[in-house]
Amino acid sequence: MRRRSLLVGVAGLFAGCGSPGSDTTDGDGVTVTPAPVPSPTAVAPRRHFADEFCPRFDRRTDQTVCGHTQPADSGLRFTTDRAVARLVDDRLADPLRVTLSWSLEGPLAVFARTWYLRRRDGDGWTGVETAAAGDPVVRIDGGDQFHWVLDTRSHDTGAATVSVAVPLSPGRYAFAVQTVGGESRLHTESVVLFDVVAPEDDGTPG
């Protein structure tokens, strides 16, 4: 039994050495499936946007933070579930989820429905859509999260999620919201980047 356990452990270490999608059988009859090769849509945002500066859209705020440049231990984190979203029949194959995480003391005021979306146009950014201002501010406590679901159609969402129905075509986008710290009163613009690609594309749009 100890020999079999050892062989299984060693085989696991080298599971990725076979060809993608194939199974490998070791000398003791144990079948090991190699890890799948990540698709372009699974690339981590920090690595995917490594050469991209953090754009600032509203200079009335005290600071702008971007999900792809923030340290993992930041008290305010703004992230997407993937860096690349793929279109199928002119709509996203899967909705894109954006998450704001707050881990500091005191409440955070989130202008949850006053979001704005920009699209890369050459060296600059062009406005795609801006949600109407004036909606109630959402307050979350330390350890809580708030979410936005981006798609070409509206979705039913819960109390801590906003559905964002926007037109999307291949290109690079920036989604932004603003918050105010309950204790620090720091007014922050938070931005996440993501790419939208056509079904036949394998990587980042030009």
Side-chain angles (χ1 to χ4, degrees):
M1 290 297 294
R2 292 184 62 186
R3 178 174 177 272
R4 176 180 291 271
S5 299
L6 179 60
L7 285 171
V8 171
V10 172
L13 290 175
F14 295 97
C17 295
S19 60
S22 63
D23 291 343
T24 302
T25 302
D26 69 10
D28 203 32
V30 177
T31 300
V32 179
T33 301
V37 176
S39 68
T41 57
V43 179
R46 179 178 292 274
R47 182 156 55 92
H48 186 77
F49 300 112
D51 298 329
E52 184 74 68
F53 291 106
C54 181
R56 186 171 187 179
F57 303 119
D58 191 346
R59 296 191 176 278
R60 297 172 299 174
T61 58
D62 297 318
Q63 65 174 358
T64 297
V65 298
C66 282
H68 70 283
T69 61
Q70 287 179 284
D73 59 352
S74 294
L76 174 64
R77 294 276 288 139
F78 200 51
T79 58
T80 56
D81 59 0
R82 61 193 187 278
V84 182
R86 192 172 301 281
L87 288 174
V88 175
D89 296 330
D90 296 325
R91 64 190 185 196
L92 293 185
D94 296 293
L96 186 74
R97 191 176 185 85
V98 178
T99 299
L100 185 149
S101 304
W102 176 245
S103 60
L104 299 181
E105 294 293 332
L108 180 73
V110 184
F111 299 94
R113 296 186 181 275
T114 312
W115 49 263
Y116 38 105
L117 182 70
R118 303 286 188 268
R119 189 178 189 275
R120 170 59 68 79
D121 183 11
D123 294 331
W125 297 87
T126 301
V128 175
E129 193 164 336
T130 300
D135 286 315
V137 175
V138 175
R139 286 178 171 79
I140 62 175
D141 295 319
D144 289 344
Q145 295 182 331
F146 199 90
H147 309 276
W148 293 260
V149 177
L150 278 65
D151 203 352
T152 50
R153 354 169 239 185
S154 182
H155 291 263
D156 292 332
T157 54
T161 305
V162 168
S163 177
V164 178
V166 289
L168 295 169
S169 58
R172 177 156 293 180
Y173 292 84
F175 179 78
V177 300
Q178 296 185 15
T179 63
V180 176
E183 294 185 355
S184 67
R185 306 305 301 169
L186 192 66
H187 190 178
T188 301
E189 176 187 50
S190 294
V191 179
V192 289
L193 304 183
F194 64 94
D195 284 334
V196 174
V197 299
E200 65 273 11
D201 291 337
D202 292 326
T204 306

